[in-house]
Amino acid sequence: MNHVSIPILLLGIGMLVVLAAGAIVLRHVGLSRQRGAFDCTLWRSAWVGGPSWQHGMMRFGPDRLRWFRAFSLRLGPEVVIRREEILDVRRELLPPQLDGEPERCLLEFSLLGERRLRAVVDRVSGAAMTSWLEAAPTGMVLGDAD
């Protein structure tokens, strides 16, 4: 490789990095502007290092919740929770870690197949999640008395 092609190679790599960062920002802005989207941190298993908290956006749908990881180029959701899979949701308020920080709540979903999912959201989003679950049409939620 001669010395003239090295700056062109570096320019190409730089352009790819800028394009990837721009795509991530545009995806995040597009998700956050849709109705029913809110910040949500999930406890998930990772490829490296075992399970950890991963930040992203959760979006309400008529029959499911969709979670999108924050820093990802993937267009579709990473986690989908169907309303009919939810057996129970336990909600616990978490104390603020810093002064002036909004209250958050820990949501623990009990799902079909002995699966559990934990999420941390702000208090308003936690109340909205509870309302979404309670507003399900009759027969849509397991254990529904109607």
Side-chain angles (χ1 to χ4, degrees):
M1 203 184 285
N2 61 23
H3 64 296
V4 176
S5 63
I6 291 175
I8 294 172
L9 178 65
L10 292 176
L11 181 65
I13 292 172
M15 288 177 63
L16 284 175
V17 169
V18 168
L19 285 174
I24 290 172
V25 168
L26 285 175
R27 177 184 171 269
H28 188 74
V29 168
L31 284 172
S32 64
R33 289 184 176 222
Q34 292 178 354
R35 258 187 347 188
F38 57 93
D39 287 330
C40 177
T41 304
L42 282 185
W43 181 256
R44 297 189 64 221
S45 60
W47 286 0
V48 179
S52 65
W53 290 103
Q54 295 181 7
H55 185 67
M57 299 279 298
M58 180 85 71
R59 207 173 79 202
F60 290 110
D63 62 342
R64 67 191 67 169
L65 298 168
R66 294 177 181 96
W67 183 79
F68 299 84
R69 191 168 47 174
F71 300 106
S72 174
L73 290 174
R74 184 176 180 171
L75 295 177
E78 301 256 342
V79 176
V80 176
I81 306 169
R82 287 176 174 55
R83 196 190 302 240
E84 61 265 8
E85 293 177 344
I86 301 172
L87 299 173
D88 187 32
V89 178
R90 193 173 69 83
R91 190 171 158 217
E92 175 186 335
L93 285 178
L94 299 173
Q97 294 178 345
L98 302 171
D99 290 337
E101 185 181 56
E103 288 183 335
R104 298 173 303 148
C105 42
L106 173 68
L107 301 170
E108 289 191 35
F109 294 90
S110 297
L111 304 172
L112 283 176
E114 303 283 324
R115 294 183 310 149
R116 296 207 179 277
L117 187 69
R118 297 188 323 175
V120 174
V121 297
D122 64 8
R123 188 175 183 176
V124 174
S125 299
M129 181 102 52
T130 303
S131 297
W132 175 82
L133 190 61
E134 291 174 353
T138 303
M140 189 111 180
V141 178
L142 292 175
D144 197 359
D146 297 86

